Amino acid sequence: MAPDEFVDFYGRQRASAILRTPHGSAAGPAMDAAVRAGFRVCEFTLNTPDALAAITHLCETQPDVVVGAGTVLTCDDARAAVQAGASFLVSPVVDEEVIECAHSLGVAVMPGTATPTEMLRAQRAGAQLIKVFPAPASGPAAIRACLGPLPFLRLVPTSGVELDNAGEYLAAGAHALGWVAPLFRPEWLASGDFDAIEAQARACLACSSTTA
């Protein structure tokens, strides 16, 4: 999927499932549960054991799902992720070299930013989407404040997104939401409670379809 197509698709979906876990054997079944619930944008962080294999497997078994890689810190990470099948790359930081590498690979890139200065820097470097990380203390109000003078940014909050504030983030102007810990709870991953993850995924998607 071309970067611009992904940006539009993500904006329509309004939500992604982001999986980070030390339990590598749980990664595939956990993401499958999120897909059964309706998630169509899915991300495996590269510090999850066997993340590249999980990306490849999901690409091969779920052709209607757009799969990406998170915690991309180097160009080697980027190339390995795209070779595994990733259609978008996410980083916790702004690194112009990684952004340029994503362009050369033909995939969308979403660097992590914590300030308006970092957001604009990432956008000017060519990032199509801007991850808001870590969670701002003022939550949705920070999104609204940043978009006031910078309305052209496509901001995607990740950490800090919860069932009770998802609608507020969207109402504040977020392009989409990244669901992490509230969706993939550590205790469910450790115990293999994939039914609980599927039920929670449905709740997350319901919250992502409304605005406060």
Side-chain angles (χ1 to χ4, degrees), residues 86-185:
S87 294
F88 64 95
L89 305 175
V90 184
S91 176
V93 298
V94 180
D95 185 318
E96 284 85 354
E97 187 176 0
V98 170
I99 294 171
E100 184 178 349
C101 190
H103 286 176
S104 70
L105 293 167
V107 297
V109 61
M110 181 164 48
T113 65
T115 67
T117 299
E118 290 182 336
M119 293 173 186
L120 186 59
R121 174 185 159 197
Q123 193 268 345
R124 285 181 172 172
Q128 299 90 356
L129 296 157
I130 307 298
K131 175 179 177 174
V132 181
F133 176 82
S138 55
I143 302 299
R144 185 176 289 106
C146 290
L147 290 174
L150 303 168
F152 48 84
L153 296 179
R154 300 183 184 93
L155 301 183
V156 180
T158 55
S159 67
V161 174
E162 303 283 350
L163 294 175
D164 61 358
N165 66 13
E168 296 176 22
Y169 271 112
L170 291 169
H175 184 72
L177 306 175
W179 291 95
V180 195
L183 170 55
F184 297 111
R185 292 185 179 175

Side-chain angles (χ1 to χ4, degrees), residues 162-164 166-167 170 177 179 202-211:
E162 303 283 350
L163 294 175
D164 61 358
L170 291 169
L177 306 175
W179 291 95
R202 295 183 190 282
C204 292
L205 286 172
C207 291
S208 301
S209 66
T210 59
T211 53

Side-chain angles (χ1 to χ4, degrees), residues 44-65:
F44 294 93
T45 66
L46 293 186
N47 57 353
T48 294
D50 300 318
L52 294 175
I55 290 170
T56 299
H57 177 75
L58 194 61
C59 290
E60 292 175 346
T61 58
Q62 299 289 347
D64 59 339
V65 173

